[in-house]
């Protein structure tokens, strides 16, 4: 499938309240497993499962907090859908650190929460990948060192796991077009 890359975080900005989408999957996830989400077709950030104890949350071995409802979630094979369009029964590719496996969504949970917008840059290029994620200590990203890092502790200069892509989608299918997304 796709090749994951390490990218440098260039900004982390509070962007206010919005609607977040949590995905409860039908199988237990390991702490290092996650899905790809992003604001644009330029690429996606790997967001890990909530299978760990934090100061404010018990582990939820089946849950991934996907972030803001407008974001793309990557379905594999160049396809995406919006988090707002997620439905029970839809299969998602889950990254386990070395490979992918498909796991179906069991429940979609939508609530109002505060958000942070992170922007990462592909090394040696001007390509940026961004994601809008819930500002919570239960949301973790995977670092270049293979460690889990809480989003709330992320700072510019950190290096995280992402998947760069080419923009241009119509109804979730990749198309060739001239497009600029920010």
């Amino acid at each position: 499938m796709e090749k994951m890359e390490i990218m440098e975080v260039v900004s982390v900005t509070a962007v206010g309240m919005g609607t977040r989408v949590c995905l409860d999957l039908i199988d237990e996830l390991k702490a290092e497993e996650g899905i790809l989400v992003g604001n644009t077709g330029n690429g996606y950030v790997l967001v890990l499962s909530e299978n760990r104890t934090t100061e404010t949350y018990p582990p939820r071995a089946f849950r991934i907090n996907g972030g803001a409802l407008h974001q793309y979630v990557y379905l594999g094979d160049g396809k995406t859908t919006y988090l707002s369009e997620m439905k029970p029964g839809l299969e998602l590719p889950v990254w386990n650190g070395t490979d992918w496996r498909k796991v179906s969504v069991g429940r979609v949970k939508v609530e109002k929460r505060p958000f942070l917008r992170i922007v990462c840059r592909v090394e040696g290029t001007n390509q940026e990948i961004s994601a809008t994620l819930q500002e919570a200590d239960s949301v973790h990203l995977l670092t270049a060192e293979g460690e889990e890092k809480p989003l709330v502790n992320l700072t510019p200069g950190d290096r995280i796991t992402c998947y760069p892509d080419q923009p241009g989608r119509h109804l979730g299918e990749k198309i060739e077009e001239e497009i600029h997304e920010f």
Side-chain angles (χ1 to χ4, degrees), residues 48-171:
L48 300 177
S49 76
E50 292 190 1
N51 190 358
R52 70 192 52 73
T53 300
T54 69
E55 288 184 22
T56 57
Y57 294 93
R60 301 286 191 248
F62 51 84
R63 178 170 293 160
I64 297 177
N65 185 334
L69 81 164
H70 74 277
Q71 292 194 113
Y72 287 128
V73 58
Y74 193 72
L75 300 176
D77 301 322
K79 297 179 183 177
T80 62
T81 192
Y82 293 111
L83 279 171
S84 64
E85 296 174 343
M86 295 300 299
K87 303 281 186 240
L90 181 65
E91 279 191 329
L92 286 178
V94 174
W95 176 253
N96 66 17
T98 58
D99 203 3
W100 298 90
R101 69 179 176 122
K102 294 273 189 163
V103 182
S104 292
V105 175
R107 175 175 78 147
V108 179
K109 186 175 166 188
V110 179
E111 300 168 301
K112 295 287 187 187
R113 295 292 188 264
F115 284 95
L116 295 174
R117 183 177 194 271
I118 64 169
V119 178
C120 303
R121 185 164 292 129
V122 178
E123 290 185 20
T125 74
N126 290 327
Q127 183 179 358
E128 291 185 340
I129 293 174
S130 66
T132 305
L133 303 171
Q134 182 185 338
E135 185 177 356
D137 69 352
S138 63
V139 177
H140 284 70
L141 307 173
L142 189 64
T143 68
E145 296 76 31
E147 298 173 358
E148 308 152 12
K149 183 160 189 167
L151 172 68
V152 295
N153 296 340
L154 198 67
T155 59
D158 286 344
R159 298 176 67 224
I160 61 171
T161 304
C162 300
Y163 173 64
D165 201 357
Q166 296 300 314
R169 298 283 187 287
H170 179 69
L171 300 174

